[in-house]
Amino acid sequence: LRKLSAGTAKLLRGHEDTLEHLQVLRYAENQHYDAHRDYWDPREFPDVPRFRNQEGFWHMRHATLLWYLAAPDAGGETWFPRAHGGPIPYNEWMACDSRGAKVSPANATAVLFYNLRADGNID
């Protein structure tokens, strides 16, 4: 995990002490991670205290880096429905259809995506 943390900091051109704790997942057959966003839209959650830090600012994940440590024999894609400028797929989070883009896992690879623009606004 230390090597992954160091590699993540290097790819993001940041410091390890500014990263969130790594989350390691291992899926059994037919398991999945529900589609979601790695930011909170204040228009959808205007008064939810758990999305704010101690200073009252929104806790936003600026970027997300997914490491694929082992590729499954089949499946395992990560779906990005808004790639290429698509709309948010409200009520269709499990669709995994042809909208956007899919990334297939390969051993020891990673995919980086930004959740916010450089100015801090939601992308």
Side-chain angles (χ1 to χ4, degrees), residues 48-114:
V48 181
R50 71 182 175 124
F51 300 134
R52 297 183 185 274
N53 64 18
Q54 292 177 336
E55 291 82 30
F57 296 105
W58 282 82
H59 176 72
M60 299 291 218
R61 185 176 291 156
H62 187 84
T64 301
L65 182 68
L66 300 176
W67 289 98
Y68 298 105
L69 303 179
D73 293 332
E77 293 89 5
T78 302
W79 181 48
F80 296 93
R82 297 200 59 222
H84 313 299
I88 296 171
Y90 293 109
N91 300 316
E92 298 180 301
W93 293 106
M94 300 303 295
C96 289
D97 55 26
S98 61
R99 288 176 288 181
K102 290 182 186 177
V103 175
S104 296
N107 290 344
T109 60
V111 61
L112 169 65
F113 58 95
Y114 291 91

Side-chain angles (χ1 to χ4, degrees), residues 1-100:
L1 289 178
R2 287 185 183 148
K3 286 183 180 181
L4 284 176
S5 183
T8 299
K10 184 176 180 179
L11 284 171
L12 295 176
R13 297 181 181 182
H15 300 282
E16 286 186 68
D17 58 347
T18 64
L19 301 176
E20 291 182 27
H21 294 287
L22 294 178
Q23 299 175 31
V24 179
L25 303 171
R26 182 179 182 149
Y27 299 107
E29 190 171 335
N30 295 319
Q31 283 186 316
H32 67 276
Y33 200 82
D34 286 335
H36 63 281
R37 292 171 284 176
D38 282 354
Y39 64 86
W40 305 109
D41 189 337
R43 295 169 296 190
E44 293 179 73
F45 306 98
D47 297 315
V48 181
R50 71 182 175 124
F51 300 134
R52 297 183 185 274
N53 64 18
Q54 292 177 336
E55 291 82 30
F57 296 105
W58 282 82
H59 176 72
M60 299 291 218
R61 185 176 291 156
H62 187 84
T64 301
L65 182 68
L66 300 176
W67 289 98
Y68 298 105
L69 303 179
D73 293 332
E77 293 89 5
T78 302
W79 181 48
F80 296 93
R82 297 200 59 222
H84 313 299
I88 296 171
Y90 293 109
N91 300 316
E92 298 180 301
W93 293 106
M94 300 303 295
C96 289
D97 55 26
S98 61
R99 288 176 288 181

